[in-house]
Amino acid sequence: MVADGTDERIDPPEITTDAIMTLDDPRFAPENVAIVTGAASGIGRATALVLAANGLTTVATDVDEDGLEETTTKAAELGVEDRLETIRCDLTDDAEIEALVEEAAAIGQLRYVVNVAGMQYISPIEEFPMERFDLIYQVMLRAPMYLSKLALPHIRNAEDGVGAIANMASVHGHYVTRDKAAYNTMKFGLRGLTQSIAAEGDGDVRAFSVSSGYVKTPLVLNQIEDTAQERGITEREVVENVMLGQARTSEMMEPVDVGNLFAFGLSQHGKHLNGGDLLWDGGYVNTYE
Ligand code: NAD
């Protein structure tokens, strides 16, 4: 440790080619299309970059156009810009979701959808604004359902009918913490939707979810600085004692780690993963002090 505590700071991780897991899969080819939501930031961006690096034509979508531009810049740095398309879409608008799927399906064979977009709102239930609950429902549960409904016929239309829908759940899809009623509810719901898609997918069209603990995204990293200042502790202490207190690890995951999990689950190596959840949480859910 140095006197000014600089090495205690947690920096947003850069995605490098070395950190991306590449998988052997004949379907991971430019004629096949994956839609990734929430791709202007954090986990969604990393997932879009990982899938593009794995050879898929990836449609990175988000409501945040500036963020999507940054995703394109990052794709160019990684040399995968030819395989990344961006389409702006507000997931609260059905017409925009319909246009997104239509455009993505016109680019190539739509086979994969990864639902990552999400948001948090902290409030006790008695004070929870219902319009906020409705918005979180629309983005985090209704949009994944509607995207699946629209994408499934395209996936089934592929020559071999093989594809998958993947959903970003969370440890909050397994247990809950207080004051996050909407988030907890949508993550549990998303796991129910995942299993429902698997039930109707007949094995060729699969569905799975990924549940991580805290991931180093801008959203989480900004909270670290504020919490450190509020509590008068170092950023490292915030991570180890406050955020990862319940886990068996002292390191948060990086967005690219989550992107790699999605790539693995979508690939032929994940062909028996159907309705299941990749709980990659450093021991959060299944251990107790
Ligand atoms: P983030 O805030 O960095 O990214 C979320 C993205 O969703 C943003 O780019 C935002 O613009 C987009 N979005 C919000 N509303 C939208 C709308 N109406 N239409 C289209 N896009 C919209 O968050 P993140 O940390 O990368 O989290 C992404 C997902 O991962 C979320 O579902 C979150 O619940 C989940 N998750 C995150 C963590 C974590 O520690 N960061 C842990 C577990 C699960």
Side-chain angles (χ1 to χ4, degrees):
M1 201 205 324
V2 289
D4 66 357
T6 354
D7 68 343
E8 299 275 335
R9 225 165 273 148
I10 318 288
D11 294 318
E14 281 294 318
I15 298 174
T16 60
T17 307
D18 285 352
I20 293 176
M21 178 168 70
T22 46
L23 293 135
D24 194 20
D25 187 334
R27 292 189 193 89
F28 280 10
E31 64 267 24
N32 292 320
V33 175
I35 296 175
V36 181
T37 75
S41 178
I43 294 166
R45 171 184 291 161
T47 302
L49 293 169
V50 168
L51 296 185
N54 269 279
L56 286 164
T57 294
T58 304
V59 172
T61 184
D62 204 289
V63 71
D64 170 7
E65 277 176 295
D66 293 342
L68 283 178
E69 260 179 53
E70 279 177 49
T71 304
T72 305
T73 305
K74 194 68 211 170
E77 282 168 31
L78 295 171
V80 299
E81 68 274 28
D82 293 352
R83 291 192 293 279
L84 191 104
E85 306 270 341
T86 59
I87 298 177
R88 186 201 170 275
C89 172
D90 182 344
L91 293 172
T92 64
D93 186 322
D94 279 3
E96 291 192 23
I97 294 178
E98 288 155 19
L100 165 70
V101 173
E102 214 165 288
E103 270 186 71
I107 295 171
Q109 175 59 60
L110 180 57
R111 278 189 194 269
Y112 308 108
V113 176
V114 187
N115 290 298
V116 180
M119 60 190 61
Q120 183 58 274
Y121 192 83
I122 313 243
S123 164
I125 290 170
E126 291 98 314
E127 284 147 37
F128 212 100
M130 287 315 290
E131 62 280 7
R132 182 62 68 156
F133 188 92
D134 292 343
L135 174 67
I136 293 175
Y137 162 67
Q138 279 191 299
V139 173
M140 293 176 64
L141 193 50
R142 190 177 186 284
M145 165 68 189
Y146 197 37
L147 269 168
S148 302
K149 175 183 157 90
L150 297 174
L152 283 171
H154 292 286
I155 300 172
R156 292 193 208 276
N157 235 357
E159 214 181 331
D160 57 5
V162 171
I165 311 275
N167 296 316
M168 184 65 200
S170 166
V171 291
H172 289 92
H174 293 262
Y175 71 15
V176 303
T177 46
R178 58 177 301 148
D179 301 335
K180 295 181 179 176
Y183 190 87
N184 298 333
T185 304
M186 300 321 149
K187 292 305 189 191
F188 272 74
L190 201 52
R191 292 191 59 210
L193 174 64
T194 305
Q195 291 180 220
S196 305
I197 298 165
E200 295 181 27
D202 301 322
D204 285 335
V205 180
R206 293 182 297 112
F208 67 95
S209 55
V210 171
S211 290
S212 66
Y214 282 97
V215 182
K216 287 184 204 170
T217 67
L219 202 88
V220 168
L221 293 171
N222 294 341
Q223 289 174 39
I224 296 174
E225 206 183 324
D226 291 348
T227 311
Q229 276 171 14
E230 266 169 36
R231 300 191 183 203
I233 55 180
T234 65
E235 296 190 8
R236 172 62 53 194
E237 284 167 335
V238 173
V239 172
E240 289 184 12
N241 303 338
V242 182
M243 292 184 160
L244 298 176
Q246 198 56 48
R248 295 294 165 266
T249 174
S250 55
E251 277 304 318
M252 283 194 284
M253 280 176 83
E254 300 200 357
V256 69
D257 299 328
V258 185
N260 285 339
L261 283 176
F262 277 119
F264 172 70
L266 293 175
S267 78
Q268 61 179 358
H269 306 288
K271 71 179 172 198
H272 296 291
L273 172 65
N274 203 3
D277 179 65
L278 298 178
L279 176 61
W280 238 252
D281 69 342
Y284 243 92
V285 171
N286 289 324
T287 66
Y288 195 81
E289 288 173 318

